[in-house]
């Protein structure tokens, strides 16, 4: 499986942070990460393209209309979560996806600066 950086998701996350749609949470991402039910509920009322914007990684070997194509979630379909970015950064580092790790780190720094204002 070869996962690539999703530049549209990075751009979307930056805009959300700029708009103040963020959570500077210090909890565990497992507490905020949308489960399958929440993902399906989101997809009931949104296009897969909107779903993709909430994931920093793309597996282009999977179909565009499948959830399996999208990896490294960072938010809850409403806000960017600090702990989501940390989880994405750590998982990307462990799996050797340096571009995703770097993007998550840059977004994390942007979020923390915005939250401090």
């Amino acid at each position: 499986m070869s996962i690539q950086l999703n530049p549209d998701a990075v751009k979307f996350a930056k805009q959300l942070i700029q708009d103040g749609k963020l959570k500077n949470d210090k909890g565990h991402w497992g507490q905020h990460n949308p489960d399958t039910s929440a993902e399906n509920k989101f997809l009931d009322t949104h296009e897969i393209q909107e779903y993709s914007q909430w994931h920093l990684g793309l597996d282009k070997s999977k179909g565009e209309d499948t959830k399996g194509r999208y990896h490294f979630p960072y938010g809850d379909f409403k806000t960017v979560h600090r702990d989501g970015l940390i989880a994405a950064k750590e998982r990307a580092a462990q799996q050797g996806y340096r571009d995703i790790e770097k993007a998550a780190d840059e977004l994390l720094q942007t979020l923390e600066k915005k939250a401090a204002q």
Side-chain angles (χ1 to χ4, degrees), residues 27-75:
H28 188 270
W29 178 228
Q31 299 169 319
H32 308 118
N33 186 8
D35 61 14
T36 301
S37 174
E39 291 176 340
N40 291 337
K41 188 174 180 180
F42 181 81
L43 284 168
D44 285 343
T45 56
H46 297 84
E47 298 293 326
I48 194 82
Q49 187 273 336
E50 293 173 83
Y51 177 84
S52 74
Q53 293 179 314
W54 291 95
H55 297 81
L56 296 176
L58 292 173
D59 180 354
K60 291 195 174 185
S61 72
K62 307 283 182 171
E64 287 183 33
D65 59 344
T66 64
K67 290 193 307 183
R69 180 178 176 100
Y70 307 103
H71 300 270
F72 301 102
Y74 62 84

Side-chain angles (χ1 to χ4, degrees), residues 78-107:
K78 295 176 188 141
T79 57
V80 178
H81 283 257
R82 178 180 179 271
D83 56 4
L85 290 171
I86 291 170
K89 176 183 169 184
E90 289 174 353
R91 282 186 30 240
Q94 291 167 350
Q95 296 173 20
Y97 298 114
R98 301 290 174 233
D99 53 347
I100 296 171
E101 175 189 5
K102 182 178 181 223
D105 185 55
E106 289 171 1
L107 289 167

Side-chain angles (χ1 to χ4, degrees), residues 4-24:
Q4 301 173 4
L5 179 65
N6 181 356
D8 292 337
V10 175
K11 183 178 177 182
F12 183 67
K14 284 180 184 177
Q15 187 61 54
L16 288 169
I17 293 168
Q18 191 62 34
D19 292 345
K21 295 180 180 176
L22 57 93
K23 297 240 172 129
N24 193 21

